[in-house]
Amino acid sequence: MNNRTILFVDACVREQSRTRRLASYVLEQLEGQVTELRLEHEPMAPLDGALLERRNKAAQEGRFSDELFRYAHLFADADEIVIAAPYWDLSFPALLKTFLEQVCVVGVTFRYDETGMPEGLCKARRLIYVTTVGGVGLPEEFGYGYVSGLARQYFGIPETRCIKAEGLDIIGADVPELLKQAEKEAENL
Ligand SMILES: Cc1cc2nc3c(=O)[nH]c(=O)nc-3n(C[C@H](O)[C@H](O)[C@H](O)COP(=O)(O)O)c2cc1C
């Protein structure tokens, strides 16, 4: 039996999400037990003052098994991570940022070395970011770039890949064909 674990973080919100559909294809190409987090249905909230205080207190007291750190542990322990997030306003839905706030925990997913540099504590060797975009050719984007930066510089995940379909909302776009082209990229994962 394959004990390899894949954490699938689904930040899509539409029932007919093209990003989720592409991510399902990506997951079919991978081997391992998938744990799925459909963020829309997860009991998460952005870190406000009260939550941050509770979290800091738990961390100071070394209570890292507290439920507050559930997402951070799931993330740190996975062998591979797949994130599905549609391209929204140059990045991704706020749901994903909320999740990443839960995941960035000193002592679980990373720590600081004596020079102040982050040092990753995550097991995964690869993170795959799956996205679909309404338009094309934007010179800047802060979705994959941001997640990839966090993965490599904080979490210690050396490889990040982006599987992307663009131009889906252009009038006349052949959406099934654009998704098929993106699926081809996923075949070489
Ligand atoms: C709130 C919102 C913001 C969006 N922002 C952008 C954008 O900045 N640039 C772009 O090209 N498309 C944008 N889109 C279009 C989506 O990227 C596109 O429709 C995508 O395929 C949606 O993925 P889904 O089918 O998985 O929901 C936006 C869509 C929504 C709903």
Side-chain angles (χ1 to χ4, degrees):
M1 195 182 135
N2 190 342
N3 290 326
R4 205 169 171 275
T5 59
I6 300 169
L7 179 65
F8 174 40
V9 180
D10 181 358
C12 306
V13 296
R14 295 190 321 113
E15 271 314 308
Q16 303 299 324
S17 164
R18 287 88 57 105
T19 315
R20 186 181 297 122
R21 184 173 136 193
L22 183 55
S24 301
Y25 187 84
V26 167
L27 287 165
E28 282 169 23
Q29 311 308 307
L30 307 177
E31 275 183 28
Q33 289 280 330
V34 178
T35 298
E36 180 177 334
L37 292 176
R38 191 155 170 178
L39 296 188
E40 208 181 12
H41 299 156
E42 290 296 319
M44 300 184 309
L47 274 182
D48 59 11
L51 187 51
L52 190 58
E53 211 167 298
R54 271 176 63 210
R55 195 171 94 161
N56 285 344
K57 190 165 186 285
Q60 272 160 17
E61 292 168 3
R63 285 187 283 111
F64 287 107
S65 56
D66 195 289
E67 187 63 15
L68 284 168
F69 302 113
R70 174 169 168 255
Y71 297 118
H73 285 298
L74 279 173
F75 199 94
D77 295 343
D79 290 305
E80 184 152 23
I81 293 157
V82 176
I83 295 180
Y87 189 71
W88 278 14
D89 310 328
L90 282 190
S91 64
F92 44 67
L95 269 178
L96 181 56
K97 181 69 171 91
T98 299
F99 175 75
L100 291 170
E101 283 178 356
Q102 308 285 330
V103 161
C104 288
V105 177
V106 180
V108 180
T109 45
F110 71 103
R111 65 181 167 217
Y112 290 107
D113 69 16
E114 54 288 347
T115 69
M117 288 299 286
E119 205 174 65
L121 298 174
C122 293
K123 191 173 164 195
R125 298 293 82 202
R126 182 168 71 171
L127 179 150
I128 302 170
Y129 187 86
V130 182
T131 192
T132 66
V133 188
V136 283
L138 291 159
E140 288 185 298
E141 75 85 38
F142 305 95
Y144 172 60
Y146 172 72
V147 172
S148 171
L150 262 187
R152 287 178 292 106
Q153 295 170 52
Y154 275 71
F155 302 143
I157 302 173
E159 184 186 352
T160 62
R161 291 280 302 268
C162 183
I163 301 293
K164 172 169 73 171
E166 288 183 292
L168 269 55
D169 294 342
I170 296 173
I171 293 167
D174 185 345
V175 173
E177 180 53 33
L178 291 168
L179 289 172
K180 209 181 281 172
Q181 282 171 21
E183 286 175 4
K184 278 208 190 99
E185 280 177 56
E187 279 160 17
N188 306 318
L189 282 167

